[in-house]
Amino acid sequence: MSTEGWPPGHEKLVLEETDSTMMEAQRRAPSLGSPTWILAHRQTAGRGRRGRAWTDPAGNFAATLIQRMDEPPAKLALRSFVAALALRDALAELTHLPDAFALKWPNDVLLNGGKLSGILLESPGAGVLAIGIGVNLKASPEPEPGAAFPPVNLRSETGITLTPEQLLDRLAPAFARWDARLRTYGFDPIRTAFLNGVARLGQPLIARTLTEEFRGTFETIDESGSLVLVTPQGRRAIPAADIFFP
């Protein structure tokens, strides 16, 4: 299938329904040839980070990019930043509202301060990376108690209706551009761009891992992609956590 502006060498698979695009990617991993974007109009078992359910009403965006990548895990993990930057760019280009979108460490896109998207990275096999992306285009779930960023959807916030295919056709080339920068120049330009658009930089944060809680000021993102907090006990680099506000 060819689409104007579609990244060369990438395949596109559009499904009316599947359990989840990540599970579909996992099933296709053993026979994978070219990098492939899998888009589903409806997911029956979508999920987010740490196995959380991902609500996916009709009209929302659910897609996974699966590709073979011969890189160490630490570099593969940086694709979460690539995906967030690409998604922000695609949404800004389609809506002509660049100032409405911001980034949330490590890989979410915010709209008017609310959570618009979710991004999940998994390795369904040796040398294979799957990047799942969900976007609330038409509907958003009920907020969880204590959520730092309540969920929002594009149509309610902006009055703009986008189809999943419209978003995918801008997202795929945007991802390819950012990914090429990472491959060519390393993480530094990705890190700089992310810091330029990230929410709450310089403000107090609470970072909760599975076992610990850290309170401090969001100072920066380091060269590994970790969140750096200035805490009463000193600077702490946190590779993965959920973010809240005091």
Side-chain angles (χ1 to χ4, degrees):
M1 181 180 297
S2 63
T3 301
E4 184 179 357
W6 189 257
H10 288 59
E11 299 295 326
K12 181 199 294 186
L13 175 65
V14 178
L15 304 172
E16 284 304 313
E17 181 176 299
T18 188
D19 43 8
S20 81
T21 59
M22 290 293 274
M23 294 174 71
E24 186 69 33
Q26 184 176 357
R27 289 189 288 268
R28 292 174 180 272
S31 59
L32 181 67
S34 304
T36 301
W37 282 94
I38 303 170
L39 174 72
H41 287 289
R42 182 171 181 269
Q43 292 187 129
T44 59
R47 56 189 170 85
R49 292 181 64 238
R50 299 178 181 172
R52 296 167 180 153
W54 179 263
T55 304
D56 187 36
N60 280 359
F61 180 88
T64 292
L65 170 63
I66 182 168
Q67 56 188 325
R68 296 195 181 279
M69 304 187 78
D70 184 17
E71 295 178 358
K75 188 170 183 180
L76 291 177
L78 298 178
R79 265 50 183 214
S80 65
F81 297 93
V82 169
L85 287 165
L87 180 58
R88 181 204 59 183
D89 285 0
L91 288 165
E93 185 178 355
L94 286 164
T95 63
H96 306 288
L97 297 170
D99 294 338
F101 300 97
L103 302 168
K104 171 181 169 287
W105 180 89
N107 56 17
D108 287 334
V109 175
L110 305 176
L111 170 59
N112 296 336
K115 181 178 169 67
L116 182 67
S117 73
I119 296 173
L120 177 66
L121 272 64
E122 291 184 350
S123 179
V128 178
L129 180 66
I131 305 171
I133 301 175
V135 185
N136 300 327
L137 293 181
K138 290 189 176 181
S140 44
E142 291 297 319
E144 297 179 1
F149 298 93
V152 297
N153 67 80
L154 185 73
R155 183 168 61 179
S156 293
E157 291 292 317
T158 68
I160 296 171
T161 298
L162 296 179
T163 68
E165 288 93 339
Q166 282 178 305
L167 180 53
L168 180 61
D169 286 344
R170 297 296 179 95
L171 175 59
F175 185 96
R177 289 192 297 271
W178 282 109
D179 191 58
R181 291 172 195 168
L182 176 64
R183 293 172 186 265
T184 303
Y185 303 109
F187 184 54
D188 190 58
I190 308 300
R191 174 179 171 272
T192 298
F194 200 91
L195 284 169
N196 285 339
V198 74
R200 307 287 182 159
L201 187 65
Q203 297 184 29
L205 291 182
I206 301 170
R208 293 175 183 159
T209 70
L210 291 174
T211 58
E212 296 181 273
E213 177 178 291
F214 303 95
R215 292 174 177 261
T217 301
F218 181 7
E219 181 184 59
T220 190
I221 297 165
D222 70 13
E223 63 278 359
S224 71
S226 294
L227 174 77
V228 178
L229 288 184
V230 178
T231 77
Q233 294 76 35
R235 296 173 80 249
R236 298 295 300 263
I238 303 166
D242 287 326
I243 300 302
F244 301 89
F245 301 106

